[in-house]
Amino acid sequence: MALIETEALVLRSYNLSDADKIVIFMTENSGLIRGVAKGAKRLRSKFGGSLETLTIVSLTYFQKEDRELVSVREIEMKKSYLASTSDIHFLQKFSYLSELLIEFSPPHDPNQRLYNMAKICLQTASDNYRFLDAISLYFELWVLRLGGFLPVWSNCYQCQKEFSNDIFVNLQMDFQVVCHQCQNIRRNSLITPEQRFIFSVAQKVSPQKFVELTADHKESLTDLSLILKRIIARVLDKKENTQKGLIINYPPKI
Ligand SMILES: [Zn+2]
């Protein structure tokens, strides 16, 4: 049995029994973990307010070999976002983003970049609610990128030619993009230069810089976010089918 200490972000909790809760954490050093917090529902719980959603904590837990569920030993609050989460839009947005973290993070698989990205996005959005939508897009894009699901939009998927900054390109069913030499313009699936700019800049700068650089591109932010949501839906759909065993053996071996 190992005792592990790490910083963590509280994503969600739910009741296990009259006194205990199960808490889902995104940790700095151990990835996503689910832990039993004994006595957390009691009035004078030693955990106090540190199990509130979106609190940054110092977490100590026991982990038994071959057990996914860990035992929460100690929690110390490092940073509370209670003031922000009392805003319904903020809470809704980050509840959705927390779900993305849960869906895209295999349990106990350390991903420090993902943790740091989530933490800094939370701070940036909390500093200014006006940037919630831009931060949400940044978050979606990085969850996809760190999971290896983000397409490359800097060059044509077919001929590999690099795009100049000012051209429109065609979006394919698999979310790759191709140039007009490879495919005639299709009006209903065009990616604009502005959308590609946002897509590119999000991968190069901090969340704070990103919200500054894209402040005047509200419409394109919305359109791009919709495309990212479609990619996310496709990834999660495939994952669910794989878990059901439907496509594990597909295509069939000849
Ligand atoms: Zn091409």
Side-chain angles (χ1 to χ4, degrees):
M1 199 150 84
L3 188 62
I4 298 165
E5 285 182 57
T6 177
E7 191 184 283
L9 173 63
V10 178
L11 295 181
R12 204 202 310 161
S13 64
Y14 45 94
N15 297 338
L16 178 63
S17 64
D18 287 346
D20 308 335
K21 277 184 170 184
I22 287 184
V23 187
I24 306 179
F25 300 93
M26 184 68 194
T27 69
E28 184 176 22
N29 300 325
S30 314
L32 192 82
I33 62 162
R34 287 172 169 80
V36 177
K38 280 200 174 295
K41 288 184 68 189
R42 292 206 179 97
L43 210 54
R44 286 185 194 158
S45 157
K46 63 175 178 176
F47 301 119
S50 55
L51 293 179
E52 293 289 338
T53 304
L54 300 175
T55 304
I56 307 269
V57 296
S58 211
L59 169 69
T60 308
Y61 64 91
F62 274 124
Q63 186 178 359
K64 280 186 187 167
E65 248 177 84
D66 302 330
R67 287 261 184 98
E68 195 193 317
L69 207 57
V70 306
S71 173
V72 176
R73 187 64 181 261
E74 278 174 43
I75 296 186
E76 193 184 318
M77 188 189 293
K78 291 184 84 172
K79 171 97 186 160
S80 165
Y81 286 96
L82 208 56
S84 299
T85 53
S86 60
D87 179 279
I88 186 72
H89 298 297
F90 188 97
L91 184 63
Q92 277 174 350
K93 194 64 93 178
F94 272 92
S95 298
Y96 156 68
L97 297 174
S98 295
E99 285 304 310
L100 286 190
L101 282 183
I102 294 170
E103 290 288 349
F104 276 79
S105 310
H108 301 277
D109 184 15
N111 193 335
Q112 222 165 58
R113 287 185 78 189
L114 189 60
Y115 176 78
N116 288 334
M117 186 281 295
K119 192 175 149 183
I120 196 163
C121 280
L122 183 58
Q123 183 60 51
T124 309
S126 167
D127 289 342
N128 195 334
Y129 297 176
R130 198 160 55 87
F131 297 136
L132 260 183
D133 288 338
I135 288 295
S136 177
L137 181 151
Y138 186 95
F139 199 114
E140 290 167 326
L141 183 139
W142 274 96
V143 162
L144 286 169
R145 183 171 171 186
L146 293 174
F149 301 109
L150 194 69
V152 175
W153 281 5
S154 55
N155 48 274
C156 173
Y157 187 63
Q158 280 183 29
C159 71
Q160 303 301 320
K161 198 171 81 183
E162 201 167 320
F163 299 134
S164 57
N165 290 337
D166 55 347
I167 65 164
F168 289 75
V169 296
N170 281 323
L171 184 67
Q172 307 293 285
M173 292 284 283
D174 59 2
F175 303 105
Q176 303 291 350
V177 288
V178 300
C179 74
H180 297 158
Q181 275 76 44
C182 292
Q183 187 184 60
N184 290 333
I185 293 180
R186 292 183 300 133
R187 295 249 166 253
N188 56 356
S189 60
L190 277 186
I191 298 293
T192 66
E194 201 171 298
Q195 287 168 358
R196 277 199 306 117
F197 163 75
I198 296 169
F199 188 86
S200 161
V201 85
Q203 298 179 62
K204 292 176 185 155
V205 300
S206 68
Q208 181 58 42
K209 193 81 191 154
F210 178 72
V211 296
E212 289 165 16
L213 289 171
T214 58
D216 298 329
H217 301 274
K218 216 166 168 54
E219 205 175 314
S220 290
L221 280 171
T222 307
D223 292 342
L224 183 57
S225 180
L226 286 175
I227 295 172
L228 294 179
K229 283 184 174 65
R230 280 164 54 201
I231 302 179
I232 288 166
R234 175 80 63 90
V235 173
L236 295 181
D237 201 33
K238 271 190 185 165
K239 197 171 112 185
E240 196 179 317
N241 284 338
T242 307
Q243 279 164 356
K244 282 182 197 157
L246 292 177
I247 59 171
I248 284 174
N249 297 318
Y250 192 83
K253 285 190 183 123
I254 297 166

